[in-house]
Amino acid sequence: MRFVVPAVLLIVALIHALPLVGVLGAVKLTQLYGIDVQDPTLEILLRHRAVLFGLLAAFLAYAAIRPELHRLALVAGFVSVASFLVLAKLSASYNSELSTVVRADWLALALLAVGAVAHQWPHTRDLG
C-alpha cells in the first residue's frame, strides 16, 4: 500500500505533462486540441497554459517522493482535473481531441480518488 500514492501521483503527473508540448507553438497546439491557433494572443495563452501544466506535473512528480507533500499534491491534482471536467460538462460541445482530454482527466480523477483513499488508509500513514 505504501506505493499507491506515489504511483498515482506519477501517473497523474504524466497525464498533466502531456500538454507541455504545446509550448512549442501553434502546430503542436493544433495537434493537441484540434483547433486552429492563428490568433497570436490565443497562442500565447495556450502556450502559457502548457507551461503551467508542466509546472503542475513537475510538482506532482516531486511530491510522489516526498510523503509530506502527498496530501497537497492530491488536492492540487484533484482541483486541476475536477475544474476542467466541470468546465467541459458546462460546455455545449467540444471536439474529439478535447474528448480525449476529458477521458484522460476522468482517468486522473479516478486515480486521485484511489490515491486519496490510500493516503487516508491507516497503514499508509505508518509507511509514509
Side-chain angles (χ1 to χ4, degrees):
M1 284 294 276
R2 75 186 262 196
F3 297 110
V4 172
V5 175
V8 162
L9 291 174
L10 287 174
I11 295 167
V12 174
L14 177 62
I15 291 169
H16 277 81
L18 295 173
L20 186 56
V21 298
V23 78
L24 298 176
V27 172
K28 290 296 182 186
L29 289 165
T30 298
Q31 292 170 349
L32 280 171
Y33 303 118
I35 57 173
D36 190 15
V37 183
Q38 291 186 359
D39 180 1
T41 302
L42 178 60
E43 182 181 345
I44 291 167
L45 290 171
L46 289 173
R47 291 175 77 188
H48 184 253
R49 179 183 186 276
V51 170
L52 294 176
F53 269 103
L55 287 172
L56 180 56
F59 170 67
L60 294 170
Y62 178 69
I65 60 170
R66 301 292 304 265
E68 68 275 12
L69 295 176
H70 285 177
R71 182 185 315 264
L72 181 60
L74 289 166
V75 170
F78 178 79
V79 169
S80 174
V81 298
S83 63
F84 179 77
L85 290 171
V86 167
L87 291 171
K89 180 72 173 171
L90 294 174
S91 175
S93 66
Y94 42 82
N95 63 21
S96 63
E97 289 82 359
L98 216 52
S99 292
T100 300
V101 176
V102 168
R103 285 191 301 277
D105 273 16
W106 275 112
L107 172 62
L109 187 65
L111 289 168
L112 289 163
V114 169
V117 169
H119 182 71
Q120 293 303 318
W121 202 264
H123 300 294
T124 58
R125 285 192 181 154
D126 297 337
L127 298 174

